[in-house]
Amino acid sequence: RDKYLTWYLNHPRVQSYLKSVSKGTNLPSITISDMQEIEIPIPSLETQRNVLQLHDLHQQEVAIKRKLEHLRELSLQEQIIN
């Protein structure tokens, strides 16, 4: 459950809201009342697990794509040099 809450609070929509209500520039802060405005849906544990699994798979996909792009660049550089 903690992981689901962390995932939800780090979701771009929630982060956008938090940035919009934060105060301060060097060390932005958020009031308790601003945090209380966030409605956190609590789906079944199975749905929470599924959401987290999809998130993990997406993160793995992003990492694989980055690695593939890096390998393509290396291959291209090698072809240019040789």
Side-chain angles (χ1 to χ4, degrees):
R1 288 180 279 192
D2 296 345
K3 289 181 181 182
Y4 174 79
L5 179 60
T6 300
W7 170 82
Y8 188 81
L9 291 175
N10 282 300
H11 191 278
R13 184 177 25 156
V14 176
Q15 286 296 305
S16 178
Y17 166 75
L18 292 174
K19 286 178 185 173
S20 74
V21 297
S22 67
K23 294 156 185 70
T25 53
N26 291 338
L27 186 60
S29 61
I30 300 162
T31 64
I32 291 173
S33 61
D34 289 331
M35 288 298 290
Q36 290 173 336
E37 290 296 316
I38 301 172
E39 290 187 32
I40 301 172
I42 310 211
S44 68
L45 287 176
E46 180 182 0
T47 300
Q48 290 179 38
R49 285 186 204 105
N50 289 340
V51 165
L52 293 173
Q53 186 177 28
L54 282 172
H55 175 72
D56 289 345
L57 288 171
H58 175 70
Q59 296 293 15
Q60 290 174 23
E61 178 185 23
V62 168
I64 289 168
K65 285 180 179 180
R66 282 188 192 136
K67 186 173 183 177
L68 182 59
E69 184 60 33
H70 176 71
L71 291 173
R72 282 184 185 146
E73 287 178 27
L74 288 177
S75 177
L76 248 172
Q77 288 174 4
E78 189 176 304
Q79 288 176 12
I80 290 171
I81 292 173
N82 294 328

